[in-house]
Amino acid sequence: QRCIVVADAYYVQPDQNQPYLVYLQHKNRPFGFAGLFDTWQHPETKEVTTSFAIITTTVNTMLQGIGVKRMPVILPIQYETNWLKSSLHLSEVLRYLVPFPGVKMNAYPVSEKVNEGVNDASLLIPCGEKLQVEAMAQPLIRIHHYHKSKPTSDKPWFGGEVQQ
């Protein structure tokens, strides 16, 4: 069954070299990865498990430049609804499984603590320059139904400053 895995950014580590944080430019977040999910029952324990997988595709030119071989399929907003429609045959949605344009993405190197089980804001601190210079643009407006008490910010958490 098709699903969308929501993310603000993701990490890549080409050939065990320097890890990078990859994100969409101009605060276009969150975004969705094309995914598949299933629910199954263990034959002996009868435990029910739901799991998912993120679909990957060939790499775009930006990520190819740092040695990445595959990338997750990032769905443009206009394709998200169709991706989820179970009434659409697989042949109709296969056209969405293409590399996201590198000119709309960016990445910067981060600490190798990514591989050490560390899970805190220090992983967002750049350890070098962004791969691309970002031109100023208006962020994409996305309609969400958040809980009333959820705080919002117009600053991306991965823009180079760690917010405490």
Side-chain angles (χ1 to χ4, degrees), residues 28-64:
N28 287 325
R29 58 183 164 85
F31 55 86
F33 296 128
L36 300 173
F37 79 96
D38 197 10
T39 301
W40 60 279
Q41 185 176 35
H42 190 281
E44 294 173 11
T45 66
K46 305 300 183 204
E47 181 181 1
V48 176
T49 302
T50 301
S51 58
F52 71 91
I54 296 171
I55 299 172
T56 62
T57 187
T58 56
V59 71
N60 64 29
T61 54
M62 184 198 75
L63 293 172
Q64 187 177 34

Side-chain angles (χ1 to χ4, degrees), residues 9-23:
Y10 67 98
Y11 296 103
V12 295
Q13 187 166 7
D15 298 326
Q16 299 303 313
N17 292 321
Q18 175 70 49
Y20 283 80
L21 181 95
V22 180
Y23 62 96

Side-chain angles (χ1 to χ4, degrees), residues 60-82:
N60 64 29
T61 54
M62 184 198 75
L63 293 172
Q64 187 177 34
I66 57 171
V68 176
K69 306 277 191 260
R70 307 275 305 158
M71 67 179 288
V73 172
I74 299 172
L75 293 168
I77 290 173
Q78 66 268 27
Y79 298 155
E80 288 179 351
T81 301
N82 282 345

Side-chain angles (χ1 to χ4, degrees), residues 133-150:
V133 175
E134 296 182 34
M136 297 299 291
Q138 292 293 322
L140 183 61
I141 306 283
R142 186 185 274 264
I143 298 172
H144 292 286
H145 301 286
Y146 288 120
H147 188 274
K148 291 179 184 175
S149 66
K150 180 171 175 60

Side-chain angles (χ1 to χ4, degrees), residues 107-145:
Y108 58 80
V110 293
S111 169
E112 293 189 19
K113 290 192 286 184
V114 167
N115 301 320
E116 298 170 6
V118 174
N119 189 15
D120 62 33
S122 70
L123 299 179
L124 306 175
I125 299 171
C127 293
E129 297 297 317
K130 293 179 180 181
L131 293 181
Q132 303 186 111
V133 175
E134 296 182 34
M136 297 299 291
Q138 292 293 322
L140 183 61
I141 306 283
R142 186 185 274 264
I143 298 172
H144 292 286
H145 301 286

